[in-house]
Amino acid sequence: MDAGNLHRRLKKIIGQVQAIDRMVDEDVPCEDILAQINAAKSALHGCGKVVLEGHIKHCVRDGIEHGDADKTIADFTKAVERFANLG
């Protein structure tokens, strides 16, 4: 997984959430706060994609090549379900 990329993204998200917190204190219109919340959610989703891509490139590839392919596929399915909020 690209840890440097992930850390940069997470720091940006932390800044977004802190800005949202300030917006609440500054009595910013609700629509603007909701727009920023949506932007933070999208950024978190992007982080999830980075983690999932790293999982595929490393854990899944290694598990299929050197381990138990059936277990690796089951674990991958579970990871996708968690990412998609299905399980």
Side-chain angles (χ1 to χ4, degrees), residues 48-70:
K49 290 193 295 188
V50 169
V51 172
L52 191 58
E53 182 179 349
H55 181 64
I56 293 167
K57 288 182 176 180
H58 301 285
C59 302
V60 172
R61 178 182 290 155
D62 187 59
I64 289 173
E65 291 176 355
H66 306 331
D68 181 348
D70 290 335

Side-chain angles (χ1 to χ4, degrees), residues 29-47:
C30 296
E31 299 85 8
D32 295 341
I33 295 171
L34 290 169
Q36 291 305 312
I37 289 170
N38 193 46
K41 284 173 33 181
S42 294
L44 274 172
H45 186 77
C47 285

